[in-house]
Amino acid sequence: MKREQIENNISKKRLGYVVAIVILFLLGISFMAYQSELLLDELLCLMTINLVFLLVLIIALMKKRTEHRLPVGDATSYRSIFLMLLLAWVFTIVFSYLPDYFAPVMIIGVLLTTVLDDVMALSLGIYFIIIQCVTCGLSVNVFYCYCILAMLGILLSSFLSNRQRAESFHIYIIYFLVNMLVPIVFYYIAYLEIDSKVFLYATLNGLCNCAVIIVFYSMISERTKESATIDYLKFIDERYPLVDDIKKFSMAEYRHARRVSKLAAFCASAIGANADCAACGGFYYRLGKMEGEPEIDNALKLANNHCFPTDVMEIMEEYGGVIRLPQTPESAIVHMVDTLVTKIELLDRDTMSSTWNQDMVIYQTLNELSQKGFYDESKMSINQFLTIREKLVQEESLL
């Protein structure tokens, strides 16, 4: 099984949020059409365009997740994206009641960059502008004005990342000036006149954009970074549902998983690898035994349904080196530990009561695997391999 095939199997959580996104868009279109008193045929045309856009959006979203190009991380259930799209629809509905040229449409694109890449954020920003212009009957000049604001907002958003508010002050000034001047220029192009009311609206537009960006961008961006940080340990917490399922399946299998998880984390820490990833991968390394044949395929489907981190799924995919040899130090460590623990569990306790016997099993097993080149593709150095071997030898018992 190839990794791309695994990751494209949409999980139940992601499927739920995809359905929620579709419903959200259909409701949003319906509300905008209702308040604008569009005819039924106009509504049907909008729905058709909406469904086509949604289909492409979802495909692009899945692809970018598997390519690790989403700020929310590849293990996301799309919850953050759904919430941001919900907020975008709320803004779009509110903007439909504001004067032409002076709706702070830049806000939508800027906030979407916290959960999507620039291309998708811009596409959605322009999509919401199109919906607003079509349903509210806005002129082409308003459309041009809003599109330029959306594009400039997303281009400037890159300067907001990884900055303190004080350091971003000059960026906010630029946001204010852009949101003030662009609508004034397009208003003049349309009407060839400007009065004090136009300057007032433009000033309020600029202030509104800056205020929302200052208040919400940093907060949403920080929460996005937190959600993108993978919490491996939550997947092996005693309260996690899948842990309880393993217990019910077999306490012997559960105890084996705990041993492998603990030792894998210990060894990973010794060489500076990702200990939490190794712990999670070690715990679920033999998950396929609970699911039955084909073990690896079924284990990966179950892991995908629980939105496991990609690197943990890679370790599970490399179980036993059947599909491919370990590709990372964490995967190599999990394989080493699982092989040792499995072999020692098969031997009787009288045989393994001697520390000397256990040490011999460790040396013999790991040396044989190393000589066969089992870990050659894992990017693990010889020194790291020797360090792990000695750490395992120093353990009083692997049982």
Side-chain angles (χ1 to χ4, degrees):
M1 176 184 293
K2 294 185 178 179
R3 177 181 163 191
E4 289 78 12
Q5 294 174 325
I6 297 165
E7 292 185 342
N8 284 332
N9 289 329
I10 191 164
S11 71
K12 292 179 181 178
K13 288 184 180 179
R14 295 191 190 100
L15 180 59
Y17 280 112
V18 166
V19 172
I21 289 171
V22 172
I23 294 173
L24 173 64
F25 272 66
L26 294 177
L27 290 176
I29 287 285
S30 300
F31 181 84
M32 293 288 287
Y34 173 77
Q35 73 167 0
S36 301
E37 299 181 349
L38 294 184
L39 298 176
L40 180 60
D41 57 343
E42 293 176 310
L43 174 60
L44 291 175
C45 290
L46 276 178
M47 285 293 187
T48 302
I49 295 171
N50 183 57
L51 290 173
V52 172
F53 179 83
L54 275 174
L55 176 62
V56 176
L57 173 69
I58 292 168
I59 293 172
L61 189 61
M62 293 172 64
K63 179 175 176 60
K64 288 180 184 291
R65 184 188 69 83
T66 59
E67 293 175 349
H68 314 289
R69 291 164 60 188
L70 293 178
V72 289
D74 56 271
T76 180
S77 62
Y78 298 155
R79 178 176 178 272
S80 298
I81 295 171
F82 169 76
L83 293 176
M84 285 307 305
L85 290 174
L86 175 61
L87 186 61
W89 271 110
V90 172
F91 278 130
T92 301
I93 292 171
V94 172
F95 294 164
S96 66
Y97 293 99
L98 299 180
D100 296 354
Y101 297 99
F102 302 106
V105 294
M106 183 184 284
I107 292 171
I108 293 177
V110 173
L111 294 184
L112 283 172
T113 59
T114 60
V115 294
L116 299 169
D117 67 356
D118 289 353
V119 173
M120 294 194 72
L122 178 59
S123 300
L124 278 161
I126 293 177
Y127 167 83
F128 285 113
I129 289 170
I130 292 172
I131 294 300
Q132 183 180 344
C133 289
V134 171
T135 55
C136 298
L138 302 182
S139 70
V140 68
N141 284 324
V142 176
F143 174 71
Y144 293 155
C145 174
Y146 287 169
C147 283
I148 288 177
L149 287 174
M151 287 186 285
L152 292 176
I154 290 172
L155 286 172
L156 288 169
S157 67
S158 60
F159 294 97
L160 296 173
S161 304
N162 302 319
R163 288 175 176 267
Q164 298 297 324
R165 292 187 181 183
E167 296 174 341
S168 301
F169 182 73
H170 61 287
I171 302 299
Y172 297 132
I173 295 297
I174 296 175
Y175 269 117
F176 172 77
L177 293 174
V178 167
N179 281 283
M180 183 177 178
L181 295 176
V182 171
I184 290 176
V185 170
F186 275 96
Y187 185 92
Y188 181 79
I189 291 173
Y191 299 104
L192 298 178
E193 63 178 10
I194 299 177
D195 54 28
S196 58
K197 183 174 68 174
V198 172
F199 282 100
L200 175 61
Y201 285 158
T203 302
L204 291 175
N205 182 37
L207 290 174
C208 181
N209 271 281
C210 289
V212 173
I213 292 171
I214 290 171
V215 172
F216 287 102
Y217 183 86
S218 297
M219 179 179 66
I220 295 173
S221 183
E222 287 301 317
R223 290 188 177 181
T224 299
K225 290 177 182 177
E226 290 176 5
S227 66
T229 302
I230 301 172
D231 183 8
Y232 296 95
L233 299 184
K234 77 174 183 181
F235 294 100
I236 57 176
D237 187 274
E238 287 293 329
R239 296 165 292 182
Y240 195 73
L242 201 51
V243 174
D244 191 52
D245 290 343
I246 295 174
K247 284 183 181 179
K248 292 176 180 177
F249 169 71
S250 169
M251 283 303 297
E253 196 62 34
Y254 168 76
R255 285 190 290 269
H256 174 93
R258 280 295 176 202
R259 290 189 196 103
V260 174
S261 177
K262 180 181 177 181
L263 287 169
F266 172 68
C267 293
S269 296
I271 64 168
N274 190 333
D276 290 347
C277 174
C280 188
F283 187 83
Y284 291 108
Y285 198 54
R286 302 205 310 188
L287 183 62
K289 291 186 177 296
M290 184 176 75
E291 293 297 291
E293 294 293 341
E295 290 186 2
I296 297 177
D297 290 21
N298 289 332
L300 290 171
K301 288 177 183 177
L302 187 57
N304 187 67
N305 283 336
H306 284 263
C307 295
F308 272 29
T310 304
D311 45 6
V312 172
M313 291 183 67
E314 288 173 350
I315 293 174
M316 296 170 65
E317 185 183 7
E318 292 161 6
Y319 171 70
V322 176
I323 294 177
R324 64 168 180 253
L325 297 178
Q327 300 294 302
T328 62
E330 292 81 9
S331 183
I333 289 169
V334 170
H335 180 270
M336 292 164 67
V337 172
D338 179 73
T339 302
L340 285 173
V341 172
T342 301
K343 181 171 287 191
I344 291 173
E345 284 175 343
L346 292 174
L347 298 172
D348 61 82
R349 288 188 174 272
D350 291 336
T351 301
M352 299 309 301
S353 61
S354 168
T355 303
W356 183 85
N357 286 341
Q358 178 174 286
D359 292 351
M360 287 301 298
V361 170
I362 293 172
Y363 280 120
Q364 181 182 5
T365 302
L366 296 186
N367 288 343
E368 286 178 358
L369 290 170
S370 179
Q371 289 169 5
K372 291 178 181 178
F374 211 90
Y375 307 120
D376 289 354
E377 300 177 18
S378 68
K379 305 178 185 66
M380 179 187 291
S381 69
I382 294 297
N383 286 337
Q384 289 176 324
F385 172 81
L386 295 175
T387 298
I388 292 170
R389 190 183 66 180
E390 293 309 309
K391 288 290 182 182
L392 289 171
V393 168
Q394 291 169 15
E395 282 290 295
E396 292 185 2
S397 175
L398 298 185
L399 289 175

